[in-house]
Structures are given as structure tokens and as C-alpha cells.
């Protein structure tokens, strides 16, 4: 199972920005000259309307589960797994996707890069 966890972690990490963008697009509204606001990607959906509600619900769910959940899990693994490496390589092998790009003394840089990816995603919200 360690290799399966490693593979799933790599997939989650690889698609982090794309899924994060999908989660936050429901909150990217622009103002129209007539005083209403519409979704940037779907201009025919008015923000705050009943058609907009499912987008917001799935966006909040995605942010809670994927962005926050995976981020907390990632940071937990960055903190806990290096200490478990003394007991064997099974734990390190399961979370290799976090550590393989960095030298052992810079084990924590994976979480820095994940946070950077989140900031890159949020930049599109601040300046669409």
C-alpha cells in the first residue's frame, strides 16, 4: 500500500492548481453595466441567483476537502514522516512524493511549494 499512497499523493499534488482553480471559479464574479454581476467563466449565470448556488456549494466543498484537507495532510506528513524514517522506510516510501525533490535537510520545502501553488491560484481571484 505504500506505493499506492505515494501514487495518489503525486496525482493530488500534480493537479493541485487545476482543482484549486475549479474550486474558486464560483467566486469570480464581474460587474455588468446594468448593475448585476455574473460569473467570469459563465456570463449567463448571475452571481447570487439560484443557478449560482450549486457552483458555490461545490466550490466550498472542494475548498474544504481538497485545498484545506490536502494542505493539512501534506503539512502533517512533512512534520511527522521524517521522524518515522528511523523505524523503517515504509512510511517514507508512502510519502515519497513530498520528499523526493529535496535534500534531507530541506524536507519541509514541499509544504512551501504547496503554499506557493495556493497563492498562485488565489492571484487569479485578486486580479481576474
Amino acid at each position: 500500500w505504500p506505493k499506492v499512497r505515494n501514487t495518489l499523493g503525486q496525482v493530488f499534488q500534480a493537479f493541485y492548481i487545476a482543482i484549486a482553480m475549479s474550486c474558486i471559479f464560483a467566486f469570480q464574479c464581474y460587474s455588468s453595466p446594468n448593475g448585476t454581476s455574473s460569473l467570469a467563466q459563465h456570463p449567463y449565470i448571475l452571481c447570487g441567483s439560484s443557478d449560482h448556488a450549486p457552483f458555490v456549494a461545490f466550490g466550498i466543498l472542494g475548498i474544504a476537502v481538497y485545498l484545506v484537507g490536502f494542505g493539512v495532510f501534506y503539512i502533517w506528513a512533512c512534520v511527522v514522516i521524517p521522524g518515522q524514517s528511523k523505524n523503517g522506510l515504509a512510511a517514507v516510501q508512502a510519502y515519497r512524493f513530498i520528499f523526493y525533490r529535496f535534500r534531507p535537510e530541506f524536507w519541509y520545502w514541499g509544504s512551501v511549494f504547496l503554499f506557493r501553488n495556493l497563492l498562485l491560484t488565489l492571484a487569479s481571484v485578486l486580479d481576474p
Side-chain angles (χ1 to χ4, degrees), residues 25-49 52 55 128:
F25 95 90
F27 307 103
Q28 294 176 325
C29 296
Y30 69 93
S31 298
S32 299
N34 65 0
T36 62
S37 60
S38 302
L39 278 177
Q41 290 187 356
H42 302 286
Y44 54 89
I45 296 178
L46 297 176
C47 293
S49 69
H52 184 233
F55 288 98

Side-chain angles (χ1 to χ4, degrees), residues 77-89:
C78 279
V79 172
V80 172
I81 299 304
Q84 290 183 357
S85 65
K86 299 171 192 166
N87 301 333
L89 294 179

Side-chain angles (χ1 to χ4, degrees), residues 11-77:
V11 169
F12 273 53
Q13 187 176 14
F15 291 112
Y16 190 79
I17 291 177
I19 293 175
M21 290 293 293
S22 296
C23 292
I24 63 168
F25 95 90
F27 307 103
Q28 294 176 325
C29 296
Y30 69 93
S31 298
S32 299
N34 65 0
T36 62
S37 60
S38 302
L39 278 177
Q41 290 187 356
H42 302 286
Y44 54 89
I45 296 178
L46 297 176
C47 293
S49 69
S50 61
D51 292 335
H52 184 233
F55 288 98
V56 172
F58 281 113
I60 290 171
L61 180 67
I63 289 170
V65 172
Y66 191 74
L67 297 183
V68 175
F70 185 66
V72 167
F73 165 76
Y74 202 93
I75 292 170
W76 170 84

Side-chain angles (χ1 to χ4, degrees), residues 24 28 119 121-128:
I24 63 168
Q28 294 176 325
L119 290 179
T121 303
L122 294 177
S124 69
V125 173
L126 299 176
D127 188 24

